[in-house]
Amino acid sequence: MLDVTVLGAGAFGLSVAWCCAKRGAKVRVIDPQGVGAGASGGLVGALAPHTPENWNAKKAFQFESLIMAEDWWAEAEEAGGVTSGYGRTGRLQPIRDEHALDFAHARTISAKQLWQGKARWQVVGQNTLGAWAPKSPTGFLIFDTLSARMFPRRACASLAAGILAKGGEIVKSGAHDGKVVWATGWLGLIDISKEMGVSFGNGVKGQAALLRLDQSTSPQIYADALHIVPHADGTVAIGSTSERDFDNPETPDEQLDAVLERAYVALPALRDAEVIERWAGVRPRAKSRAPMMGPHPTRRGEFIANGGFKIGFGMGPKVGEVMADLLLDGIDAIPDDFRPQASL
């Protein structure tokens, strides 16, 4: 007999399955498309925090997830023998004007308290960082040491290998035995919306590109609303668009050309790098904009873990552990803003 069946082999589904499997539960993951086939099989992998101010349950949950991530990914890698590409390499952000500079300095102080001394938020001079520093109108940048990176496809493969190593199974079809968790991405949110007759969530298309450029030890950059993420394998990912309306969910188009051009302007060091892949996928966005966890809204006795949107991998470790607490031990530590009711 199985203890847990997880429907969906993306960031949340695999995180929940891994956390259950490593505690000794018998787990089955079902996904007809395979591991990381949807938005979780993308390129960017920016694990970045919200600003250290106006603290709330969502920011606290994300902070805890980012802090626990290094050990959490290392445990999965050790179990399955597959690297995730994880690295806590930090992040740089340009500061656009004097007003923003004042805010950046103030957040240096608030981060000391809210981040509990476990990470830093600081203001640094652009001219101290060399060619990898993005252009900044003030000549200053924010550098935080909480941000990390992983390669989404490798991360999915790492979790899948860990699940298998712990005796779990990953299949394209099978019985829904034990506790059932729906982690079926944006199409799952659309299905629930149809069942309930109200908007419960939707998909947002994102497009990204992968460049051949070895900056593996450099921090990621957030500039002009773009993530520029150096990966451990000698590539750099750039993304992404946020498209509420789209005709071709998995087809890159001219909007990606505009993304690349903005990235080249923000960081000229990218311009001569070869583009080796163009990617598009649809991310699940709950109506509440927060991750969705807890009892399934339309399937009595079953559960949901969905709505990771742009922060699915960053939230994955904490989402997985909290869902495992609920499924295996009956401990409910889900923030109210993360419950499905918050999207109704």
Side-chain angles (χ1 to χ4, degrees):
M1 290 293 293
L2 287 173
D3 297 305
V4 177
T5 296
V6 178
L7 307 178
F12 276 7
L14 292 170
S15 294
V16 173
W18 162 244
C19 289
C20 291
K22 70 177 182 172
R23 299 187 191 190
K26 295 181 179 179
V27 175
R28 172 183 293 147
V29 179
I30 302 175
D31 195 317
Q33 304 303 317
V35 171
S40 297
L43 304 175
V44 179
L47 313 182
H50 293 287
T51 53
E53 62 185 1
N54 301 323
W55 212 236
N56 56 34
K58 182 179 179 180
K59 289 187 176 184
F61 192 102
Q62 186 200 41
F63 170 75
E64 292 170 9
S65 191
L66 291 172
I67 287 297
M68 66 189 288
E70 186 169 10
D71 290 342
W72 192 85
W73 285 107
E75 187 177 7
E77 292 174 352
E78 182 177 2
V82 177
T83 179
S84 66
Y86 177 87
R88 191 168 148 187
T89 50
R91 176 179 60 168
L92 295 168
Q93 302 178 71
I95 301 174
R96 66 180 181 275
D97 55 35
E98 293 300 320
H99 184 64
L101 183 59
D102 289 341
F103 269 109
H105 282 298
R107 289 164 180 159
T108 297
I109 298 171
S110 62
K112 290 181 180 178
Q113 174 189 2
L114 297 172
W115 288 357
Q116 305 168 24
K118 297 176 181 178
R120 300 189 313 278
W121 171 291
Q122 60 195 92
V123 175
V124 296
Q126 176 183 334
N127 59 5
T128 66
L129 297 172
W132 191 248
K135 293 182 177 179
S136 177
T138 60
F140 292 95
L141 301 150
I142 298 161
F143 176 62
D144 80 79
T145 63
L146 182 54
S147 294
R149 58 100 201 276
M150 32 62 63
F151 199 109
R153 294 170 190 170
R154 294 178 185 271
C156 287
S158 182
L159 292 175
I163 292 164
L164 294 174
K166 294 295 184 180
E169 58 183 74
I170 301 174
V171 296
K172 293 192 174 183
S173 63
H176 299 183
D177 296 325
K179 302 287 181 65
V180 179
V181 182
W182 292 77
T184 48
W186 74 284
L187 292 174
L189 297 179
I190 297 298
D191 287 342
I192 295 171
S193 297
K194 291 177 180 177
E195 289 178 42
M196 302 188 71
V198 296
S199 175
F200 195 67
N202 62 289
V204 179
K205 181 179 177 180
Q207 301 187 44
L210 193 66
L211 281 59
R212 193 184 310 282
L213 181 65
D214 191 352
Q215 291 286 336
S216 57
T217 61
S218 297
Q220 63 182 271
I221 291 168
Y222 185 70
D224 194 12
L226 297 176
H227 295 280
I228 302 169
V229 183
H231 286 306
D233 64 355
T235 62
V236 173
I238 299 172
S240 65
T241 62
S242 290
E243 305 166 44
R244 294 287 296 272
D245 299 310
F246 50 86
D247 295 321
N248 300 304
E250 298 178 356
T251 303
D253 56 34
E254 66 278 357
Q255 293 190 61
L256 184 53
D257 297 329
V259 164
L260 284 167
E261 189 55 40
R262 285 162 52 201
Y264 299 153
V265 171
L267 188 64
L270 297 171
R271 190 172 289 276
D272 294 330
E274 177 190 3
V275 177
I276 57 177
E277 184 176 350
R278 298 164 64 92
W279 176 90
V282 182
R283 299 157 296 186
R285 178 186 180 275
K287 189 175 180 180
S288 68
R289 295 183 64 89
M292 185 182 296
M293 308 160 58
H296 196 284
T298 64
R299 298 177 179 274
R300 183 178 296 274
E302 299 183 357
F303 301 85
I304 190 169
N306 206 332
F309 194 28
K310 298 179 180 180
I311 55 175
F313 279 106
M315 290 287 207
K318 184 72 172 177
V319 166
E321 298 295 348
V322 170
M323 286 298 295
D325 286 341
L326 179 63
L327 297 168
L328 303 181
D329 301 320
I331 299 171
D332 187 345
I334 299 171
D336 288 342
D337 289 346
F338 289 17
R339 298 181 188 278
Q341 292 85 343
S343 288
L344 294 176

